[in-house]
Amino acid sequence: MSDKQTILLVDDSENDLFLMRTAFKKAEFGVLLQEACSGTQAIAYLKGDSAYGDRSRFPLPVVMLLDLNMPMQNGFDVLTWVRSQSGLKRLSVIVLSASMRGEDIERACDLGCNSFLVKPSSLDELIDMVRCLRGWVGINSYPSLDGAVGPGGVP
Amino acid sequence: MKAIHARAATAAMPPDPASLFLEHAPSPMAATEGPEHVVTFANSAFLHLVDKTPEQLIGRRFCEVLPDMRACAALLDRVYGTGDPEKHTEQSHSDTDTDSWSYRIWPVIARGRSVGIVMQVTEKEDFNDLTLTMNEALVLGSLRQHELTEAADASNAQLQMEIGMRKRTEEELHRTQAELSDHAGELEGLVAERTSELTNTNQQLESFVYSIAHDLRAPLRAMQGFSDLLVEEAGAKLSDAGKGYADRISKSAQFMDALLCDLLAFSHISQRRVELNSVSLETVVASVLSRLSAIVQERNARVESVGPWPSVLAHESTLSQVVFNLVSNALKFARPGVPSLVRLRNEERAQVVRVWVEDNGIGIAPDHRAQVFGLFTRLNGEKYPGTGIGLAIVQKGVERMGGSVGVEAAPLHGSRFWFELNKAGTSPDR
């Protein structure tokens, strides 16, 4: 298992994943950045389903960056599921959405996200945002997740 | 007169004037005495009527000498017995005569009991006349009654008709009223339906505009991000022209992003529920100026806020956006080479507070002042890039808060924008 902290990035947009990856590099945010391109895949990762069974390769993240608008299981569904899992309910979830609609922000907060960030339009702003995130991840204190669920779960 | 007291009535002509009066009276009269009805007196008219001489009558029993008048016998007995006068009519007096006769018979009372009878016979002509008159009167009466009945019937019919008409009118009225109320109900229903349709349409429109703006921003982020990356990472391999193209892509994407953001803001301000509260202009103005301080500094501009600022009836974030847009608008349209001077002040009027945002910029030609608040209205070209939505947001926002906006020419240069809102503590319905 890597000694780096893991961040799980969930977004269905290839472009946004790419730009985010670039921004992480440019911001020199040295974490293990894992990606899931759908809500379903994010849940599979967190559960440690077959493909993600090896927690040394796919460790539980310290933070999940979660897009909202995705087909099938969207961000709200993933958030709801996470908060209902005894081994995951304390996971830090930061919503990263293009939406700045009040009702989306309120709903996500009601469902228990830890922060709500709006995707910036320029790469520079995105890099600034990732730098802030790096700072935050560095100073944040993390709770014990108290045992994960699923076959590959870490107690 | 109930009874005549008997005097000494004899066959001889009575000497006193009363007897003379009776003797010469035109109607036939006779008198009898005792229960046998012995005739004691008969005047000339009576003698003539029965065609007898006094000798044939006086001193003899009435029924013996006048058998034709036998019908009277029972009557005479009864009047004599009861002492009550009676009338009697009989059809025929003799065989030749078929006319009717009428007798008036009354008793002669002495010391409380009957001693004789007096009778008077009414002549047939009189009777006939009377009968005729009576008949005529009866006929007339019945005619009159008939007429009256007819008139009553007619007026009843008229009344019935009028009542019928009135009833029909009333029914008509009721029906019309019912129809009207049905109509009103239908209209109300229609209004409610349309309102709900409109609300639906508005909601659909809002979510449509929102998702368009939202979805369009995703590829824009990519365009901007990748053109930035292109310049940054492959810039060395690009010609100046190539870098210029990438720059144009990035700038266009940025502008489109601004456009979509403004459109989202306009849609949001048009649709969101605006609840009015007392909002301190002091706080709002201060917060807007602090948000704009970087731009103010960058452009070497000056913004003055002339207090004191009262509280108004407003929706805080909407008011904040209105003030922000007006001030950034004032900063933006500066005359080349002249640092912007923006002044915010207020006037308290009767029910409202008018907020002025004045600048020394390029101003607006009088002809264009009316259009300046329209959506996508841009009066200046490339020199002053903008989306043409900022002032539309101002107008919509102020309207949503029950106020009004306007623009006037400044005395020398620049524009004087104003908006009015109700003072805090006044009624919000304006």
Side-chain angles (χ1 to χ4, degrees), chain A:
Chain A
M1 185 173 167
S2 166
D3 52 355
K4 282 183 189 170
Q5 287 172 310
T6 303
I7 287 182
L8 177 62
L9 179 60
V10 188
D11 201 317
D12 64 317
S13 159
E14 275 297 326
N15 286 332
D16 282 351
L17 285 174
F18 184 92
L19 289 172
M20 202 63 181
R21 220 179 290 139
T22 309
F24 265 71
K25 253 182 255 159
K26 301 232 173 229
E28 296 169 339
F29 191 5
V31 287
L32 177 63
L33 188 63
Q34 296 284 13
E35 294 171 12
C37 60
S38 70
T40 315
Q41 206 177 347
I43 289 173
Y45 183 104
L46 291 172
K47 271 173 150 175
D49 274 355
S50 49
Y52 302 101
D54 184 358
R55 277 287 179 234
S56 63
R57 283 178 60 208
F58 305 106
L60 277 176
V62 289
V63 174
M64 173 165 65
L65 290 172
L66 181 64
D67 184 28
L68 285 181
N69 190 16
M70 295 181 289
M72 308 295 286
Q73 281 179 299
N74 64 23
F76 294 119
D77 299 328
V78 176
L79 187 54
T80 307
W81 179 83
V82 165
R83 293 295 177 239
S84 72
Q85 304 298 308
S86 61
L88 291 169
K89 61 183 176 191
R90 297 188 195 126
L91 176 66
S92 295
V93 178
I94 295 176
V95 169
L96 183 58
S97 168
S99 172
M100 49 184 99
R101 188 154 55 171
E103 60 189 76
D104 287 343
I105 299 170
E106 283 140 27
R107 187 171 167 208
C109 289
D110 289 348
L111 291 175
C113 76
N114 300 83
S115 177
F116 194 108
L117 302 177
V118 177
K119 290 176 182 174
S121 25
S122 77
L123 185 63
D124 285 347
E125 289 170 288
L126 190 62
I127 295 166
D128 282 347
M129 199 182 82
V130 175
R131 283 203 190 101
C132 287
L133 185 64
R134 186 186 66 187
W136 182 83
V137 167
I139 61 171
N140 193 45
S141 305
Y142 299 91
S144 150
L145 290 187
D146 198 26
V149 290
V154 177

Side-chain angles (χ1 to χ4, degrees), chain B residues 284-297:
Chain B
V284 168
V285 168
S287 116
V288 167
L289 296 191
S290 116
R291 273 160 65 201
L292 284 166
S293 61
I295 297 173
V296 171
Q297 217 164 8

Side-chain angles (χ1 to χ4, degrees), chain A residues 16 26 99-100 120-122, chain B residues 210 217 221 224 226 232 257:
Chain A
D16 282 351
K26 301 232 173 229
S99 172
M100 49 184 99
S121 25
S122 77
Chain B
Y210 185 84
R217 284 191 75 215
R221 269 198 313 277
Q224 212 179 324
F226 286 106
E232 213 176 301
D257 191 53

